[in-house]
């Protein structure tokens, strides 16, 4: 039950950072399906590196945990063009460099600035603002509605239900008040229809 591809996004000609609220593991596929076809295959979603602890630190996990986690990691990279984004560890320069390379290659990036899945829109972390301001890449606010009922974090399998994906006008972020700029993005997402 997704809306037709967004005409607002169709008018954009440069790579952007899509900044969306986070409700479910189905968020990325829902956003990609809501995008026009020419954008859909040119988006690199960021995924929390910490979600794949067993893949990156196999010595601390059983062989089965490592295998399952690594399989999920490689499938995410292969099917969604996803890349790991550290949330609780260092690597800011490497992340900036990588996202800079991705956008200079003509790909857009999808980030969930809350850093966790919630039913309500939580506080956006300043990383999205730092990336956008330092790389001078516009941010497109994205609001997802209904996916927390289709696949809640406590559910094992999704169920049918209505889902909305709304896109806002691109924002240009400048300056070094990353917390304040992230709040601007958060408010823009909250202002979109759910």
């Amino acid at each position: 039950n997704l809306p037709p591809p967004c005409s607002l996004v169709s008018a954009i000609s440069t790579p952007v950072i899509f900044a969306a609220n986070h409700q479910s593991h189905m968020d990325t596929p829902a956003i990609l399906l809501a995008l026009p076809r020419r954008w859909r295959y040119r988006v690199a979603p960021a995924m929390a590196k910490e979600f794949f602890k067993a893949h990156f630190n196999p010595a601390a996990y059983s062989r089965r945990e490592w295998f399952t986690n690594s399989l999920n990691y490689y499938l995410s990279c292969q099917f969604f063009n996803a890349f790991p984004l550290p949330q609780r560890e260092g690597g800011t320069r490497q992340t900036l460099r990588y996202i800079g390379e991705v956008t200079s290659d003509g790909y857009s990036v999808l980030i969930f600035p809350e850093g966790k899945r919630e039913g309500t829109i939580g506080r956006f972390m300043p990383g999205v603002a730092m990336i956008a301001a330092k790389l001078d890449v516009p941010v497109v606010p994205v609001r997802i509605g209904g996916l927390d009922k289709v696949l809640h974090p406590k559910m094992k399998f999704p169920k049918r239900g209505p889902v909305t994906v709304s896109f806002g006008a691109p924002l240009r972020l400048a300056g070094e008040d990353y917390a304040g700029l992230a709040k601007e993005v958060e408010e823009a997402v909250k202002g979109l229809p759910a």
Side-chain angles (χ1 to χ4, degrees):
N1 298 6
L2 288 171
C6 174
S7 60
L8 184 65
V9 175
S10 295
I12 301 169
S13 61
T14 180
V16 299
I17 296 171
F18 292 104
N21 61 309
H22 204 4
Q23 293 187 333
S24 161
H25 284 308
M26 300 277 292
D27 291 348
T28 296
I31 291 169
L32 293 178
L33 284 171
L35 285 170
R37 182 179 291 275
R38 71 179 184 91
W39 280 84
R40 192 174 300 156
Y41 304 106
R42 306 286 297 168
V43 174
M47 57 185 174
K49 183 178 179 185
E50 290 77 8
F51 186 75
F52 299 97
K53 287 181 198 171
H55 172 75
F56 290 104
N57 188 15
Y61 294 89
S62 72
R63 198 162 220 199
R64 182 179 177 165
E65 290 170 320
W66 167 81
F67 177 78
T68 303
N69 196 250
S70 290
L71 181 63
N72 287 333
Y73 174 78
Y74 288 121
L75 288 173
S76 297
C77 293
Q78 180 67 33
F79 288 107
F80 296 108
N81 201 26
F83 67 94
L85 181 68
Q87 292 180 304
R88 293 176 194 87
E89 60 184 64
T92 304
R93 279 197 191 119
Q94 291 172 323
T95 301
L96 269 174
R97 189 176 310 119
Y98 182 76
I99 292 175
E101 289 171 11
V102 167
T103 55
S104 67
D105 285 344
Y107 283 81
S108 293
V109 175
L110 170 59
I111 295 178
F112 300 98
E114 294 164 291
K116 58 186 173 186
R117 292 168 288 153
E118 297 187 15
T120 59
I121 298 175
R123 184 176 70 85
F124 278 23
M125 306 300 268
V128 67
M130 181 195 67
I131 293 165
K134 286 204 177 276
L135 297 177
D136 192 30
V137 177
V139 176
V140 173
V142 182
R143 183 162 183 180
I144 300 165
L147 274 173
D148 56 330
K149 292 170 183 59
V150 171
L151 184 62
H152 189 273
K154 294 182 181 172
M155 295 167 62
K156 291 193 185 230
F157 297 100
K159 63 181 184 177
R160 293 179 73 85
V163 172
T164 59
V165 180
S166 303
F167 296 89
L171 306 171
R172 283 275 182 193
L173 304 180
E176 295 186 1
D177 177 13
Y178 302 132
L181 293 170
K183 184 70 176 166
E184 279 183 42
V185 178
E186 178 188 324
E187 292 304 321
V189 170
K190 286 179 177 175
L192 294 170

